[in-house]
Amino acid sequence: MDWTIWVEWIVKGFVLCLILLTGFAYLTLYERRALARIQVRVGPNRAGPQGLLQPIADAVKLIFKEELTPRHVYKVVFFIAPILTVVPSLIIAAVIPLGTSFNLFGREITLYVANLNVGVLYLMSIASIAVYGIVLAGWSSNNKYAMMGGIRSSAQMISYELTLGMCFVLAILLANSMNPTEIVSAQQSGVWFVLVQPVGAIVFFIVTLAEVNRAPFDMPEAEQELTAGYHAEYSGMKFALFFMAEYQKMIVVCMILATLFLGGYAGPFVDQYPLLGPLYLFAKVIVLLFFMIWVRATWPRIRYDRLMAFGWKILLPLTIYLVFVTAAGILLAQETGNQLFYFAGIPVLSIIGFFTAFAIVYRDLRRKSHGRV
Amino acid sequence: MAQIEEVSVDQYKHLVSERALTGETMLLNMGPQHPSTHGVLRLLLELDGEIIINCIPDIGFLHTGIEKNMEAKTYQKAEVMTDRLDYMNTMGNNLSYCMAVEKLVDLDVPARAQSLRVILVELQRIASHLVWLGTSGLDLAAMSMFLYCFREREQILDIFELVSGQRMMTTFIRPGGVWRDVPVEFEAAVRDFIKIFPKRVDEYERLLTKNPLFIDRMVGIGILSKETALSYGVTGPMLRASGVDWDLRKARPYLGYEQYDFDVPVLTEGDTYARYLVRIQEMRESLKIVEQALNKLPMGPVRSANRKFVPPPRSEIGVSMESLIHHFKLWTEGFPAPKASIYSAVESPRGELGVLLEGDGSPKPMRVHMRTPSFDNLAVLPEIVKGRLVADLVAILSSTDIVLGDIDR
């Protein structure tokens, strides 16, 4: 094999890691500023212009903080857990295409690290590994609050993994491929899948909130109940690794959502200027991240058992229904040659299913608050 | 490194069930350093998974000895201690103490002072409910509520600063009236608040009342039945959410509350959501009272002219020998109170706040006892959290709206 391809891989992998690490740092600033705007505050604006150096100050603080390893922890696992959490959140981005390819010194450079033809499976499997870090952190801390956080997180991940898988299936069906690059190019030549399957995109967003432990599904850390949850005993850089993993996962799941349903790097003129691709993806990720922050600012946390019930009783049947509708729509469009089945049938039936699911949730709540206001 | 003292089983055996001793259930210390215990409250929980089998509140971490300290001070000087009791209801504490003193020595309060007291105490009630709303929103992770509520509370505290020079520990209400007349800017500031606040309450309600996640967290949990509430001596919004129409402002009117037109919200469900609705409604009703009191605020003196108990104004001291003597006597020796024991109660934001004063003929009280609502409202907590989840405990605890300074006095 040509040695230059190794250099290319290493450089690209390195650049991707750097993008994610910087992205993490600035996502914390973005979140703090956006939250502050929503909460009629100013937010961090002292370090550097508009607080742009705040992430650096935070990093320096965390690095120089004392790292405390309590006496009662199981040391090996306690040490490994943060690593196990942060590594999947970095390597998961390898198969996400940031763009097509461009020429550099007469050499074609592709804008993704790996072009796996089962890339979606890779995404799923790596996403599931991350839970081990959290569970092990909770268990090895030998702290009751941390253990409860860890257990909550494993239950939550298992409940939402299935729905997440089903949402992947939607995109696979629509693109007729498991390769993320081909999923994007299918959307570039056709329409964004969010138009065909809007409900799928919404459900995917809800599920990813649970998958990355973001509000309102932030059970494992639930500050008001479990103080800090699974990372209660961690300090200094080890704590920062958990923090890093959470925010990187936020970025990565937004990238995945953009890739599967919002056309990834696709956008106008991206064929002529391939370097526009990463910019389009970046813009889409920023918008999706804002939704995550917005939800965090306004919504109360759902209760742990209700979260499980919501996952198993509402979301999973709904996504199974969506998969059925999508598959049937594609099949009918192929058999009859009438594209109406594809462009009208799938969205309409999906939205009906969505409202049915919501009607069930609301009926439940109305029954609960019967006779009130 | 300091050695942590092992707690022997004998010390907690009588508190928990048999299953805890075999290790089948888990004992968990929630607090005293925990973000959701609203101060320094420790709850010893016995958990089966996440289900609460037993909950034992442990109080006393904030004990300040206020009641005992007050015995060493004259009636006037003891008043500053009352601010520190329930730090969310400083005006109300002043009021309840001053009313007790006035009852003990039989002192009249001018009409203007009465109205001013009503305005300030009702503003304080709104401020206290705002803190409750913000913190209970925060306990359910609706974090923006906290900052929105504190924005309005800040406006009330600014009004307090305007009238008394202090934001929280005002000691503005004094035996025989209030410290001094309010400045001219007072009316505009209160009117401003009256104008803004209803819109803001609507905003909070839009954010929470119909929010499916909020309803899910609040409805049907922590149900407190009417009988349990009465037998535990629960008062205030908690009692009214359980279907008992008992508000001292209506039942035993003081400060001329009978002349104001307001409703006492009563709900029968007795769950956390009912408590939430009652308090939200109370904020609106309090605002109605403030507006009425401000509209017919009479002119006149703000302190009683009875110089045996109320010091003369500063300006008189230079020209009147008698005033100087009164001033000197009152600030050195104080005024003697008759040998009697009285109890006087007001409706604080949390419930019935009563003061028992026992005079022995000297200028210092022989015994001061506060009947504080948080204490009784907390006592009922174990009854209503059993069988619920840890997450519910947080919601229920914040719906009891306890202030630890009020419990450990």
Side-chain angles (χ1 to χ4, degrees):
Chain A
M1 204 188 272
D2 187 7
W3 65 271
T4 52
I5 198 129
W6 287 95
V7 174
E8 191 189 323
W9 279 346
I10 289 169
V11 169
K12 277 199 293 197
F14 193 67
V15 168
L16 189 69
C17 282
L18 280 185
I19 289 174
L20 282 178
L21 288 174
T22 340
F24 144 70
Y26 277 90
L27 176 57
T28 57
L29 180 68
Y30 177 43
E31 175 170 40
R32 287 170 69 181
R33 293 289 293 205
L35 274 181
R37 283 293 290 191
I38 294 172
Q39 297 168 345
V40 284
R41 294 185 287 127
V42 181
N45 67 345
R46 295 286 119 178
Q50 289 297 307
L52 279 175
L53 296 180
Q54 186 69 38
I56 296 162
D58 285 343
V60 169
K61 181 201 79 175
L62 279 167
I63 289 167
F64 284 103
K65 259 191 151 177
E66 184 190 359
E67 255 190 61
L68 200 77
T69 308
R71 263 189 307 182
H72 54 75
V73 302
Y74 186 40
K75 291 215 173 46
V76 180
V77 182
F78 189 77
F79 182 74
I80 291 174
I83 302 171
L84 258 182
T85 318
V86 84
V87 168
S89 74
L90 278 173
I91 61 176
I92 194 171
V95 295
I96 297 169
L98 303 179
T100 45
S101 59
F102 65 97
N103 271 313
L104 191 70
F105 310 126
R107 185 188 165 82
E108 196 189 7
I109 309 250
T110 52
L111 279 166
Y112 38 80
V113 176
N115 187 11
L116 274 182
N117 54 3
V118 287
V120 172
L121 280 186
Y122 174 85
L123 289 178
M124 277 231 47
S125 48
I126 300 293
S128 332
I129 287 178
V131 69
Y132 283 102
I134 292 174
V135 174
L136 289 177
W139 175 74
S140 68
S141 294
N142 211 353
N143 173 315
K144 288 168 184 171
Y145 285 114
M147 194 194 70
M148 274 160 77
I151 289 172
R152 278 179 174 202
S153 124
S154 52
Q156 177 179 337
M157 293 276 206
I158 291 165
S159 308
Y160 280 74
E161 204 90 307
L162 275 174
T163 318
L164 186 70
M166 285 293 175
C167 290
F168 277 121
V169 169
L170 288 175
I172 295 168
L173 280 175
L174 290 170
N176 199 17
S177 166
M178 288 180 97
N179 186 333
T181 321
E182 280 172 32
I183 290 177
V184 175
S185 50
Q187 295 179 72
Q188 205 179 357
S189 49
V191 293
W192 289 4
F193 291 160
V194 70
L195 297 176
V196 186
Q197 190 48 276
V199 182
I202 294 171
V203 172
F204 190 94
F205 182 73
I206 296 174
V207 174
T208 48
L209 283 180
E211 195 70 17
V212 300
N213 301 330
R214 282 290 295 183
F217 303 116
D218 50 348
M219 293 311 108
E221 30 201 318
E223 193 199 335
Q224 286 77 15
E225 294 146 31
L226 304 181
T227 58
Y230 62 89
H231 56 61
E233 297 283 6
Y234 283 89
S235 57
M237 212 49 208
K238 285 206 198 85
F239 162 74
L241 284 183
F242 282 116
F243 203 62
M244 199 193 272
E246 185 187 327
Y247 281 80
Q248 276 166 9
K249 273 194 276 176
M250 272 171 75
I251 300 174
V252 169
V253 294
C254 285
M255 280 161 101
I256 296 173
L257 177 55
T259 306
L260 295 186
F261 289 99
L262 297 175
Y265 58 79
F269 308 115
V270 83
D271 291 331
Q272 292 96 315
Y273 308 102
L275 283 179
L276 277 177
L279 287 182
Y280 285 135
L281 187 64
F282 180 71
K284 287 168 190 172
V285 167
I286 290 283
V287 173
L288 288 173
L289 284 174
F290 180 74
F291 278 103
M292 285 196 170
I293 295 165
W294 192 7
V295 166
R296 180 178 171 196
T298 45
W299 280 49
R301 183 183 297 115
I302 190 169
R303 210 174 68 197
Y304 166 62
D305 59 322
R306 305 288 296 172
L307 167 95
M308 306 285 279
F310 183 62
W312 287 108
K313 293 183 187 164
I314 307 283
L315 285 183
L316 187 61
L318 177 63
T319 40
I320 291 174
Y321 168 77
L322 292 181
V323 169
F324 175 74
V325 165
T326 314
I330 293 170
L331 187 69
L332 283 172
Q334 271 174 3
E335 293 293 314
T336 62
N338 188 348
Q339 288 298 308
L340 214 60
F341 282 114
Y342 185 81
F343 287 111
I346 299 176
V348 169
L349 282 176
S350 309
I351 289 170
I352 291 172
F354 184 67
F355 280 112
T356 315
F358 258 68
I360 293 170
V361 173
Y362 268 96
R363 193 197 57 187
D364 218 33
L365 288 175
R366 238 200 338 271
R367 203 178 280 160
K368 261 183 102 174
S369 60
H370 182 66
R372 282 250 167 63
V373 207
Chain B
M1 191 188 281
Q3 281 293 311
I4 299 162
E5 211 175 301
E6 285 280 325
V7 180
S8 77
V9 180
D10 294 331
Q11 283 173 8
Y12 60 82
K13 200 163 64 180
H14 60 287
L15 297 171
V16 295
S17 75
E18 278 296 308
R19 291 164 69 204
L21 303 180
T22 58
E24 204 177 319
T25 54
M26 180 169 88
L27 290 178
L28 182 70
N29 270 318
M30 196 160 165
Q33 286 94 20
H34 189 282
S36 302
T37 51
H38 291 232
V40 279
L41 169 68
R42 169 173 168 249
L43 296 170
L44 178 61
L45 301 178
E46 186 186 341
L47 299 175
D48 182 4
E50 285 218 17
I51 297 168
I52 297 164
I53 309 278
N54 229 330
C55 165
I56 302 141
D58 182 11
I59 58 171
F61 291 93
L62 199 65
H63 188 69
T64 39
I66 283 177
E67 283 175 1
K68 190 73 189 162
N69 253 330
M70 284 166 84
E71 291 169 17
K73 295 184 173 10
T74 62
Y75 285 99
Q76 291 153 310
K77 291 176 183 171
E79 196 199 332
V80 283
M81 318 268 331
T82 62
D83 285 317
R84 277 83 182 161
L85 271 173
D86 174 354
Y87 42 82
M88 289 295 128
N89 179 34
T90 53
M91 288 280 188
N93 296 342
N94 292 164
L95 175 71
S96 68
Y97 176 76
C98 292
M99 277 175 55
V101 174
E102 284 154 12
K103 197 169 166 186
L104 186 67
V105 299
D106 200 17
L107 188 60
D108 283 333
V109 179
R112 184 175 172 82
Q114 298 269 26
S115 294
L116 280 177
R117 284 178 174 190
V118 169
I119 294 173
L120 292 171
V121 168
E122 291 304 318
L123 282 177
Q124 180 80 72
R125 187 184 312 278
I126 295 173
S128 169
H129 281 350
L130 281 174
V131 173
W132 156 79
L133 181 61
T135 50
S136 67
L138 198 62
D139 281 345
L140 300 178
M143 60 194 291
S144 296
M145 275 316 287
F146 185 69
L147 291 132
Y148 296 152
C149 290
F150 268 59
R151 173 184 58 188
E152 268 69 72
R153 176 174 179 261
E154 202 60 26
Q155 216 174 340
I156 295 179
L157 293 187
D158 283 346
I159 294 174
F160 288 173
E161 193 177 357
L162 192 68
V163 299
S164 74
Q166 282 281 341
R167 285 156 46 82
M168 284 179 75
M169 306 303 162
T170 52
T171 324
F172 184 67
I173 296 171
R174 302 274 173 91
V178 296
W179 173 43
R180 60 171 187 188
D181 206 349
V182 290
V184 281
E185 301 92 342
F186 175 71
E187 187 174 343
V190 179
R191 292 241 183 260
D192 201 27
F193 181 74
I194 292 172
K195 212 174 94 204
I196 290 172
F197 192 64
K199 274 181 271 173
R200 295 279 163 83
V201 181
D202 291 342
E203 258 174 46
Y204 306 150
E205 286 222 72
R206 267 206 297 284
L207 209 57
L208 292 180
T209 306
K210 297 273 181 185
N211 184 326
L213 286 185
F214 185 73
I215 293 176
D216 200 37
R217 285 297 298 273
M218 301 289 271
V219 171
I221 64 162
I223 297 176
L224 174 63
S225 71
K226 196 172 170 176
E227 292 72 34
T228 323
L230 287 173
S231 66
Y232 271 83
V234 171
T235 47
M238 260 185 107
L239 183 67
R240 292 193 282 277
S242 295
V244 184
D245 187 2
W246 180 255
D247 187 322
L248 286 176
R249 291 174 297 173
K250 283 274 188 205
R252 307 266 162 81
Y254 52 94
L255 288 186
Y257 266 112
E258 64 276 4
Q259 40 178 316
Y260 303 112
D261 172 36
F262 67 102
D263 297 322
V264 176
V266 178
L267 289 176
T268 48
E269 286 85 358
D271 58 1
T272 49
Y273 194 62
R275 279 168 229 147
Y276 161 80
L277 291 175
V278 164
R279 289 203 181 97
I280 290 273
Q281 203 49 41
E282 264 184 23
M283 287 202 271
R284 296 181 195 276
E285 297 298 330
S286 289
L287 200 71
K288 263 161 70 181
I289 300 174
V290 171
E291 194 171 8
Q292 290 171 42
L294 192 65
N295 283 342
K296 49 185 179 188
L297 185 64
M299 297 308 282
V302 293
R303 301 174 98 174
S304 160
N306 190 339
R307 293 281 169 258
K308 293 292 166 220
F309 301 109
V310 181
R314 216 55 223 188
S315 54
E316 274 181 29
I317 296 172
V319 291
S320 156
M321 190 61 208
E322 207 173 333
S323 291
L324 186 64
I325 293 167
H326 281 311
H327 179 86
F328 182 75
K329 284 285 274 182
L330 280 171
W331 288 116
T332 50
E333 191 192 358
F335 53 79
K339 197 171 157 81
S341 171
I342 60 103
Y343 175 80
S344 131
V346 300
E347 184 75 22
S348 95
R350 272 155 273 281
E352 178 179 336
L353 174 63
V355 177
L356 177 100
L357 266 186
E358 191 151 350
D360 59 353
S362 78
K364 290 173 185 173
M366 195 179 89
R367 172 85 174 102
V368 185
H369 175 71
M370 307 279 181
R371 187 259 176 229
T372 50
S374 299
F375 184 82
D376 300 72
N377 293 0
L378 177 69
V380 81
L381 181 76
E383 290 281 330
I384 56 180
V385 298
K386 266 176 205 163
R388 310 298 318 187
L389 296 167
V390 177
D392 287 338
L393 169 70
V394 174
I396 295 170
L397 184 64
S398 71
S399 81
T400 61
D401 189 22
I402 49 163
V403 166
L404 268 294
D406 202 23
I407 294 173
D408 306 331
R409 46 274 149 210

